[in-house]
Amino acid sequence: MKDFLIEIFAWWRGNTWGTRLWTALNGVFVGTDEFGNRYYRSRKIGANGRERRMVIYAGGLAEASTIPAGWHGWMHYRTDVPPTEEGYVPRSWEKPHRPNLTGTAAAYRPRGSLLAEGERPRVTGDYDAWSPE
């Protein structure tokens, strides 16, 4: 019951009933990625001459870093064909998808930061510290 009420009223969390209703009435299902995110396009072309592209995130929390590279290109109009229709094959230089790890124990911490081990590197000669005169 709690999740149901949160989905109705907590729009900042991600998927709401309004989003689901609008997508059901105006969207055409395009495909699903390996994380369970579902992708839609609008039935009509908008005033800007393009279709609207939408994603319903798996798990309820709207986290844009869970969109893989192929779907990211489609969502941002870099390609007109979604990965499900094209048979998307990642390029040899593309790394596998990793979620946003900010705020977790696995987040990137450079050497010398307060939360990492090691000593902060010394400043090289190309930097002059500011001091008020």
Side-chain angles (χ1 to χ4, degrees):
M1 184 66 170
K2 176 184 169 189
D3 289 335
F4 175 74
L5 291 173
I6 287 174
E7 193 166 305
I8 291 175
F9 297 109
W11 56 266
W12 57 88
R13 239 185 112 215
N15 304 325
T16 63
W17 278 98
T19 303
R20 291 183 189 272
L21 179 63
W22 194 94
T23 304
L25 295 175
N26 300 307
V28 175
F29 179 71
V30 175
T32 305
D33 65 19
E34 61 264 25
F35 302 108
N37 299 326
R38 299 173 53 88
Y39 298 89
Y40 297 86
R41 66 170 47 138
S42 60
R43 295 180 196 276
K44 300 176 184 174
I45 302 298
N48 62 357
R50 296 194 294 192
E51 65 188 7
R52 184 173 179 186
R53 297 176 180 175
M54 302 148 286
V55 59
I56 301 291
Y57 294 98
L61 186 62
E63 177 56 53
S65 69
T66 62
I67 297 178
W71 284 105
H72 181 272
W74 181 77
M75 288 293 294
H76 292 273
Y77 303 96
R78 302 215 192 303
T79 178
D80 291 331
V81 183
T84 52
E85 294 177 16
E86 186 179 15
Y88 175 77
V89 178
R91 308 257 187 216
S92 60
W93 44 264
E94 287 183 25
K95 294 182 179 181
H97 178 268
R98 286 187 10 202
N100 183 355
L101 301 174
T102 303
T104 68
Y108 171 72
R109 294 182 176 92
R111 189 170 57 95
S113 75
L114 295 176
L115 297 174
E117 295 180 8
E119 191 173 313
R120 184 175 177 179
R122 302 267 321 147
V123 176
T124 61
D126 62 344
Y127 173 79
D128 294 325
W130 176 79
S131 64
E133 298 295 329

